[in-house]
Amino acid sequence: MHELSLTQGVVEAITDRLGPRRVVMVRLEIGKLSGVVVDSVRFCFDLVVAGTPLEGARLEIEEPGGRARCRDCSASFASDDPILLCPCGSSDVEVLAGTELLIKAVQLAPGEVLPDVRDVRV
């Protein structure tokens, strides 16, 4: 189940950036063509955040739909099916949207402050 390692990576990215500051909400964007099972991420999130500053945080997930463009007929079309076929029948398509896996927002607990930008190593 790769959703467990993905969820661990999300939590690590947040704690690496924010340190011990308590987080009350995390918003993710997981595209419908990403291959990620959203219900599994929800399940794994509660397990992974235990004992971290994210414990008890609310998880919100946005699921943008897939969009593609046909290289044969140039039509753009929506599809949430991982097997992308243009309405013209061609499978020669370019995925335009729907593969996202992003941390869109993190909300800190009242009284917590963001780290000073000078403290962030790039």
Side-chain angles (χ1 to χ4, degrees):
M1 172 163 64
H2 74 290
E3 282 79 0
L4 177 59
S5 61
L6 288 171
T7 307
Q8 287 171 325
V10 165
V11 172
E12 286 173 13
I14 294 169
T15 56
D16 286 352
R17 178 67 189 260
L18 299 177
R21 292 164 185 85
R22 199 164 83 74
V23 173
V24 295
M25 186 278 298
V26 174
R27 182 177 305 123
L28 304 177
E29 183 173 296
I30 302 175
K32 294 205 180 223
L33 299 178
S34 67
V36 176
V37 179
V38 170
D39 287 339
S40 294
V41 171
R42 289 185 198 285
F43 175 79
C44 292
F45 185 79
D46 289 333
L47 298 175
V48 171
V49 299
T52 74
L54 284 79
E55 187 168 11
R58 182 177 76 251
L59 177 63
E60 297 177 1
I61 300 178
E62 300 170 0
E63 296 180 77
R67 292 219 39 87
R69 186 184 62 78
C70 180
R71 290 187 179 105
D72 288 338
C73 74
S74 298
S76 290
F77 59 97
S79 178
D80 293 338
D81 191 327
I83 301 172
L84 293 169
L85 292 174
C86 178
C88 79
S90 174
S91 62
D92 188 12
V93 298
E94 172 188 11
V95 177
L96 303 174
T99 61
E100 302 84 359
L101 180 53
L102 304 168
I103 300 170
K104 294 294 283 187
V106 175
Q107 181 180 356
L108 296 176
E112 296 284 359
V113 295
L114 287 173
D116 191 322
V117 176
R118 293 170 290 187
D119 294 339
V120 177
R121 298 193 198 299
V122 181

